[in-house]
Amino acid sequence: GYKGHYQYANAFASQGKQVTVVLPIPISGHPTTKQVLWCFLRAPRPPITWFTFHPAIDVRVVPSVSGPYLPRADVTVLTGWQTAERITKSPKRGALVQIVYDYEIWMEYPDRRPRIRAALTRPDVQRIATSSIVADMLREMGSEPYATVTAGLADGDFGVDVPIEDRRPVIAFPLRSQPSKDMNTAFAAAEAIGAALPGVTILCFGDPSGESVPPSVQSLGRLSDAELRELYNRCAVFMLTSRYEGWGLPALEAMACGAAVVSTRNGGTEDFVIDGRNGLLSPVGNPVAMATAVLRLLSNETERVRLAKIGVQDASSMTVTKAARAIGEVFSRIIGVG
């Protein structure tokens, strides 16, 4: 979710809006002068190395999101339930708006639900859901979202470089350690696919820590966006086995690059992967069904190409620019401008 927030910040800055990104480094208790100075001195070197902010954005490192450390704003955007839990209302912060992604955490950690519910139902905060499943989650908590604005891709980051018809039998999936991402299903499906189709290449990317990748799968480690684009363009099929997704960004990235997507019915991905139109949907936690769907596309070139081409068209309409414009209109309604 944070990548999406940062992309929205860049989009607003590109529109000429004054944007400040606040990066809190939590300090227990009341921060000392030395600790506050340490945070401020770090501000020219924000601890986000994997994302490039628009040069007009003011990036600040602060010891807390309460007290005097937040800048004056018409709208203060809360980026996670933990932010809403810690922030306090202040006139200088204008409207408080939460862009909500937290579906996976809500589903994966029932013991945290009382805190999440309290954070995401604050009466002084307006909430924007990022998918239909997130909107349903908020309603389950008793909080009707002010709006639902689905996420998108930054213009030009992902696209087709290798003709869809020319793809070799290459499959890829993201390697992520959270239980909600269900690596057991991914690995079991990969082994079944490899056994049924000996010439297939199966790749995974992401954080390899704590995961025992089967010999039939090659792990590529962490990849930049440019490297991801190259990988997706190698893929005939992209596989997503998550139990829960608030949105499912890797599937949209792969779809934009011409990989036919096979995803579980995990919630967020179902907003843009339409079974039989631009991809295939499989039951959660069923590696046999996942492998069968992937093998179906690898054995039916006509269907794979058809789904992939429609997927590219559909993904092209889901952009950060479009989403940021919609969010900006929501902000205007909330603060009574326009």
Side-chain angles (χ1 to χ4, degrees):
Y2 288 103
K3 180 179 180 180
H5 292 308
Y6 299 156
Q7 288 176 330
Y8 291 147
N10 279 359
F12 290 134
S14 297
Q15 297 168 8
K17 294 180 171 61
Q18 183 178 342
V19 180
T20 303
V21 171
V22 178
L23 303 171
I25 298 180
I27 296 172
S28 59
H30 186 71
T32 66
T33 301
K34 182 177 180 181
Q35 289 171 325
V36 171
L37 286 174
W38 176 78
C39 284
F40 290 160
L41 288 172
R42 286 199 58 173
R45 303 179 297 281
I48 304 296
T49 59
W50 50 268
F51 188 85
T52 302
F53 289 101
H54 188 285
I57 291 178
D58 179 10
V59 180
R60 300 186 186 182
V61 180
V62 299
S64 172
V65 290
S66 63
Y69 301 110
L70 291 184
R72 186 177 301 277
D74 296 309
V75 177
T76 295
V77 180
L78 314 183
T79 56
W81 69 269
Q82 299 93 334
T83 315
E85 186 178 53
R86 295 170 185 162
I87 200 167
T88 56
K89 177 69 174 174
S90 167
K92 75 174 185 177
R93 289 167 198 163
L96 296 181
V97 179
Q98 178 102 46
I99 299 181
V100 185
Y101 286 88
D102 304 286
Y103 174 65
E104 297 99 322
I105 301 174
W106 174 257
M107 295 300 295
E108 192 173 329
Y109 301 103
D111 58 313
R112 300 184 190 178
R113 287 189 179 184
R115 290 176 59 196
I116 295 172
R117 185 190 300 272
L120 295 184
T121 57
R122 285 179 50 164
D124 60 335
V125 178
Q126 298 287 0
R127 279 157 288 276
I128 300 174
T130 50
S131 67
S132 299
I133 197 67
V134 170
D136 289 344
M137 175 190 74
L138 288 170
R139 293 186 185 104
E140 181 183 343
M141 298 178 190
S143 174
E144 183 67 26
Y146 189 92
T148 298
V149 179
T150 54
L153 302 176
D155 296 327
D157 277 2
F158 296 95
V160 177
D161 304 316
V162 175
I164 293 170
E165 297 86 349
D166 295 347
R167 309 280 173 102
R168 297 180 61 82
V170 175
I171 302 164
F173 63 89
L175 182 64
R176 299 177 288 181
S177 59
Q178 302 97 312
S180 64
K181 307 309 178 185
D182 196 2
M183 290 296 96
N184 289 335
T185 290
F187 295 156
E191 291 187 312
I193 294 165
L197 194 64
V200 72
T201 298
I202 306 176
L203 307 170
C204 67
F205 61 92
D207 184 4
S209 61
E211 298 294 341
S212 180
V213 179
S216 58
V217 178
Q218 179 185 353
S219 179
L220 303 178
R222 295 181 181 274
L223 302 178
S224 66
D225 280 355
E227 291 168 330
L228 277 175
R229 177 170 179 152
E230 183 179 356
L231 171 62
Y232 294 144
N233 271 275
R234 291 180 60 192
C235 290
V237 178
F238 179 81
M239 186 169 69
L240 190 69
T241 61
S242 306
R243 290 184 176 275
Y244 313 115
E245 287 284 352
W247 176 242
L249 183 62
L252 184 61
E253 293 172 345
M255 181 183 284
C257 293
V261 172
V262 178
S263 171
T264 50
R265 295 183 180 274
N266 53 50
T269 305
E270 296 173 77
D271 270 12
F272 60 90
V273 178
I274 310 303
D275 189 43
R277 170 185 162 79
N278 59 17
L280 296 179
L281 293 173
S282 174
V284 165
N286 190 329
V288 173
M290 176 64 63
T292 299
V294 172
L295 289 168
R296 168 183 160 186
L297 294 184
L298 292 178
S299 65
N300 188 333
E301 186 74 357
T302 300
E303 184 178 19
R304 178 187 70 81
V305 170
R306 179 183 68 82
L307 294 177
K309 286 187 172 181
I310 295 174
V312 171
Q313 295 173 6
D314 291 346
S316 68
S317 67
M318 290 178 277
T319 67
V320 170
T321 300
K322 180 179 178 181
R325 187 180 304 117
I327 290 174
E329 291 171 356
V330 173
F331 289 169
S332 295
R333 293 201 301 272
I334 289 172
I335 64 177
V337 175

